[in-house]
Amino acid sequence: MKNKLYFKLKNKKVQEAAFSAILKEQKHIGYYALPEQNISPILTYAKSIPDDIENVAVIGIGGSSLGAKAVYEFIKPTKKLKRKLYFFESTDPLNITTLLSKLNLQKTHFLVISKSGTTIETFSIYKYIYSLKNDSKSYTFITDPGSPLEKYALDFGASVLHLPDNVGGRFSVLSTVGLVPLALSGIDIQALLYGANTLKKSFFGAGYMQDTLLKKAVFYAQNHAQYHINCIFAYSETLKYFCEWYVQLWGESLGKKQRHSAFNVGLTPIGLIGPKDQHSFLQLLMEGTRDKSVTFIKIEDFQDDIVIPDISLPHLESLDSLNNLPFSKLINMQCDSVIKALLEEEIPLDSISISKVNEGNIGALMYYYELLTSLVGELIDVNTYDQPGVEAGKIILKKKLNSLS
């Protein structure tokens, strides 16, 4: 992947301080080491699932599902996969019923994912599905060692897999949380990790990505009061769920009170898909309040060569310039045109180019955003890895539920 910054920044001391902090953080934050992990146990586990299983259903919410879903939906259009993945990530009864209507329960394996082992949304859904199918061989549970869920799973006689130490949910896509469902679907998880590790080496080894990521993080941090809305404008439908993953990662990590003050800070994430959203949200970017930075993501090779037919339509001859134009070229021309328009308005932006749709590139892109999140969190002085605001809502919900009993 290539990343071009359209803003200039010269603050070497701040960049060096941020890099030093990240080096120290590696010792106790687990996600940094995930690209270099041994995945043999995961691959062995994947082989244990019978070949007649056609579907894998993930029961989880937030970080327990968004990462795997982002990778799966990115890869799915360009690769024939072994199994379909489904994601139960909402207590919406219509959503649950609709998803179940698509599944043959006898040919579905369920992955129940909860780090704490007591996630209310996850277990409300699990209880319902368990009432329909209570065969222990149909379930695998992914949780922390010693959690209530592990104890339940062992009593139930189901398989249990563990999360690695010190890996929070929203940073867990490259752990068992993401790798297990992806491996079961037939996605090349070794290539996924290779892409992430290539990015990691480029950052920590003083490569191209170190300078780029540090400059970008410092710009966001130093301008977070003015440009407090951060938009991704992704020019491919395959990146729709990547945008959802980014929104959770960015919002839950950076929207905090500062560690050394009571001041509330954060950069609001927005995920956009081009060219669709350039016919709506672009107006706000162009002429709205100057409080937004934008990152464009585009794919150089879509591996699909469909072309606009050489057809002239009565009264629409002005559109004949489209004739014989590949759609892949058109969508990137649209992207480049929007970039130029925003640059003329002096909107701070950068662009990321992905060579093609494959596991290595999405692995690199996700690790890039995890590193960027950690850097910005350090620079705006927040604890990137907790989520007290989310926990506050959970506490209130538990009180409400207890009052019913």
Side-chain angles (χ1 to χ4, degrees), residues 328-389:
S328 57
K329 185 173 182 179
L330 174 60
I331 194 170
N332 282 332
M333 289 175 67
Q334 291 172 300
C335 179
D336 292 341
S337 298
V338 174
I339 289 174
K340 184 176 180 181
L342 289 179
L343 284 174
E344 290 176 357
E345 293 296 320
E346 298 184 346
I347 307 296
L349 59 86
D350 67 298
S351 65
I352 294 173
S353 294
I354 298 172
S355 60
K356 60 183 178 180
V357 175
N358 63 25
E359 289 93 339
N361 282 330
I362 192 66
L365 182 64
M366 297 181 96
Y367 199 75
Y368 168 99
Y369 264 93
E370 289 178 335
L371 285 174
L372 182 62
T373 302
S374 294
L375 286 166
V376 175
E378 176 64 30
L379 289 165
I380 63 174
D381 192 31
V382 299
N383 181 347
T384 309
Y385 309 102
D386 66 358
Q387 51 279 333

Side-chain angles (χ1 to χ4, degrees), residues 15-165:
Q15 293 175 47
E16 290 171 357
F19 185 69
S20 177
I22 295 304
L23 285 176
K24 294 177 183 177
E25 204 174 71
Q26 283 190 94
K27 297 176 182 178
H28 61 276
I29 299 298
Y31 90 84
Y32 287 101
L34 293 178
E36 297 164 317
Q37 70 187 284
N38 175 19
I39 60 170
S40 295
I42 294 175
L43 296 176
T44 299
Y45 160 80
K47 291 178 182 177
S48 72
I49 301 301
D51 288 337
D52 63 350
I53 294 297
E54 298 176 353
N55 308 304
V56 173
V58 175
I59 305 175
I61 193 167
S64 295
S65 64
L66 286 173
K69 189 176 184 180
V71 176
Y72 176 71
E73 295 292 343
F74 181 73
I75 297 297
K76 186 174 68 171
T78 63
K79 188 173 183 178
K80 185 177 181 180
L81 297 174
K82 184 176 181 180
R83 298 184 180 96
K84 293 182 179 180
L85 289 186
Y86 294 87
F87 295 87
F88 289 84
E89 50 190 348
S90 173
T91 52
D92 177 348
L94 295 176
N95 176 259
I96 294 169
T97 302
T98 300
L99 283 174
L100 283 172
S101 71
K102 298 177 181 179
L103 297 178
N104 178 342
L105 294 183
Q106 301 310 310
K107 294 186 177 182
T108 301
H109 191 81
F110 292 90
L111 298 175
V112 184
I113 305 175
S114 171
K115 180 176 174 62
S116 67
T118 58
T119 309
I120 287 172
E121 294 86 353
T122 299
F123 289 101
S124 62
I125 300 169
Y126 168 69
K127 285 186 175 186
Y128 183 73
I129 293 175
Y130 173 82
S131 73
L132 304 175
K133 189 179 186 184
N134 60 7
D135 173 16
S136 62
K137 293 182 180 179
S138 297
Y139 297 91
T140 296
F141 297 87
I142 300 177
T143 186
D144 275 345
S147 74
L149 178 54
E150 180 182 43
K151 295 174 183 176
Y152 164 79
L154 293 175
D155 286 347
F156 184 38
S159 298
V160 182
L161 300 173
H162 293 139
L163 280 81
D165 293 337

Side-chain angles (χ1 to χ4, degrees), residues 193-245:
L193 292 179
Y194 179 81
N197 201 33
T198 300
L199 192 289
K200 178 181 178 179
K201 288 178 179 178
S202 180
F203 178 73
F204 287 107
Y208 159 72
M209 275 302 167
Q210 183 180 118
D211 186 60
T212 303
L213 270 165
L214 288 173
K215 284 182 178 178
K216 187 171 175 177
V218 170
F219 179 86
Y220 285 166
Q222 291 186 338
N223 295 278
H224 76 272
Q226 178 179 356
Y227 299 114
H228 55 86
I229 298 175
N230 183 251
C231 306
I232 283 182
F233 219 139
Y235 271 73
S236 174
E237 293 290 333
T238 64
L239 289 164
K240 177 181 178 181
Y241 294 99
F242 167 80
C243 287
E244 291 190 6
W245 172 83

